[in-house]
Amino acid sequence: MTSDKIRIAVVGAAGAFGMKHLDGLQHIADAEVTVVSGTRPEPTQAVAEKYGVPTAVLSYEEVLERDDVDAVILATPTGLHAAQTQAALAAGKHVQVEIPLADSLADAEATLAAAEASDRVAMVGHTRRFNPSHQWVHQRIAEGGFGIQQMDVQTYFFRRTNTNAKGEPRSWTDHLLWHHAAHTVDLFAYQAGRIVQANAIEGPIHPELGIAMDMSIQLKAESGAICTLSLSFNNDGPFGTFFRYIGDTGTYIARYDDLVDGREEPIDVSQVAVSMNGIELQDREFIAAIREGREPNSSLRQVIDCYRVLGSLEEQLAAHQEQPA
């Protein structure tokens, strides 16, 4: 073990995003994964062997007790995020929690309070802030060369059963509002300014999953820019999230780390950052913030307004459900 590296435990390592983090961390010289954690012994051990991680454990409490762990990356079910983040901070560990920070505003606020009372780095995996495509747009905005008039965003999956990104069954239920909308709500505020108006409507509640399978959200920033977000688990077609930036000097379409203009001409974003992998760049920011003793981009303080907007949208949707037909 090299003591001058930041020693990382990846929790939920055998899941789709746990492995994405492990892939990214392999390219970060300042990081060393010392522990992987999961709930099932065979997949967790297999991941440890695949990535050459010396220790695999099945208890989160054991992760937090270890003295060879400086920081944890949480790629665990949404409902655990807030409590696990608070526990990591209480144990003196730096923590990066995958999106969303929480699935309620009260839990998000409580976790922010824990982070503010700690001297540890606390960060949420709002990957869109780090994708080279969105970074390129952000830099143009910062330089004064581009102003957003409208963002049109589509977040589409075909997910009528309870499966993860690898197509495997899972024990928890995904959510269009608290998980998938969080990406766009935060990104829109990051690119266009503080959100001052938000509206939402949703389709029928799935009888087995207990969630809406379709949702539409409208946002307005204090700059005057607007955002229209369409989300669906019913889309039988290309999966993922596609962002159209309509601005005063051009139109750009971002698909994860790639960017084209409004005529589908590719834009070279290879020099925006040291990698073309947004999750690796997110992990690089986490490690650098720990090393430099500073607040990271996508800290809990920076993203809490996103969860306040989601909380208000949840109240709107609940009020609509209570209205008589």
Side-chain angles (χ1 to χ4, degrees):
M1 184 170 61
T2 306
S3 60
D4 62 342
K5 294 188 176 185
I6 306 300
R7 299 167 300 175
I8 306 291
V10 177
V11 184
F17 267 80
M19 296 181 73
K20 288 178 184 288
H21 282 287
L22 288 165
D23 288 336
L25 288 163
Q26 290 185 112
H27 301 289
I28 304 175
D30 271 359
E32 178 181 17
V33 180
T34 53
V35 179
V36 292
S37 172
T39 57
R40 296 176 296 157
E42 293 84 0
T44 305
Q45 185 60 45
V47 167
E49 292 172 2
K50 176 180 178 180
Y51 289 94
V53 179
T55 304
V57 303
L58 301 179
S59 163
Y60 184 55
E61 291 73 19
E62 183 178 345
V63 170
L64 299 184
E65 291 169 357
R66 296 183 68 90
D67 59 8
D68 61 349
V69 172
D70 303 311
V72 298
I73 294 177
L74 298 174
T76 52
T78 293
L80 302 177
H81 286 182
Q84 287 185 335
T85 300
Q86 293 172 39
L89 293 168
K93 310 297 187 186
H94 305 284
V95 58
Q96 180 191 168
V97 57
E98 257 306 325
I99 194 170
L101 169 61
D103 55 7
S104 75
L105 178 55
D107 283 348
E109 297 275 16
T111 310
L112 173 64
E116 290 183 331
S118 168
D119 63 354
R120 302 289 88 179
V121 169
M123 175 179 171
V124 189
H126 284 263
T127 313
R128 301 296 165 260
R129 291 177 176 233
F130 301 96
N131 293 119
S133 53
H134 299 297
Q135 281 202 53
W136 187 93
V137 173
H138 192 74
Q139 289 173 10
R140 288 213 62 201
I141 294 168
E143 293 163 357
F146 181 69
I148 295 172
Q149 309 290 350
Q150 181 174 183
M151 282 176 62
D152 184 72
V153 184
Q154 299 173 331
T155 294
Y156 291 157
F157 301 95
F158 189 66
R159 192 174 292 169
R160 294 177 182 171
T161 57
N162 212 9
T163 54
N164 67 13
K166 296 196 294 184
E168 299 170 342
R170 64 179 167 201
S171 60
W172 58 284
T173 304
D174 206 356
H175 200 284
L176 288 175
L177 180 66
W178 286 99
H179 182 179
H180 297 287
H183 280 294
T184 296
V185 170
D186 181 67
L187 179 67
F188 179 59
Y190 185 60
Q191 304 286 45
R194 187 174 63 89
I195 294 168
V196 295
Q197 188 175 350
N199 304 300
I201 56 174
E202 63 185 1
I205 302 300
H206 191 280
E208 295 173 7
L209 297 179
I211 58 171
M213 304 293 280
D214 291 275
M215 191 174 293
S216 176
I217 294 173
Q218 294 176 307
L219 306 169
K220 186 173 184 177
E222 59 186 352
S223 64
I226 62 172
C227 176
T228 302
L229 169 60
S230 171
L231 307 106
S232 181
F233 282 149
N234 280 317
N235 175 67
D236 190 4
F239 301 162
T241 303
F242 314 105
F243 300 82
R244 179 180 291 267
Y245 290 97
I246 301 171
D248 51 359
T249 58
T251 295
Y252 306 105
I253 302 165
R255 300 182 180 97
Y256 292 97
D257 296 308
D258 299 320
L259 188 68
V260 299
D261 66 17
R263 296 174 179 82
E264 294 286 340
E265 295 292 332
I267 294 172
D268 182 9
V269 295
S270 63
Q271 303 305 308
V272 168
V274 298
S275 169
M276 282 290 290
N277 179 341
I279 291 174
E280 177 190 330
L281 295 172
Q282 173 183 314
D283 289 344
R284 285 182 178 274
E285 172 68 0
F286 182 49
I287 301 301
I290 295 170
R291 177 72 70 201
E292 297 162 16
R294 61 169 174 82
E295 180 182 6
N297 185 6
S298 197
S299 69
L300 271 66
R301 184 189 65 82
Q302 291 178 13
V303 304
I304 192 64
D305 278 353
C306 164
Y307 296 93
R308 290 169 179 159
V309 171
L310 296 178
S312 71
L313 292 174
E314 183 176 65
E315 289 180 1
Q316 283 186 30
L317 294 171
H320 291 318
Q321 288 178 12
E322 292 168 2
Q323 291 176 357

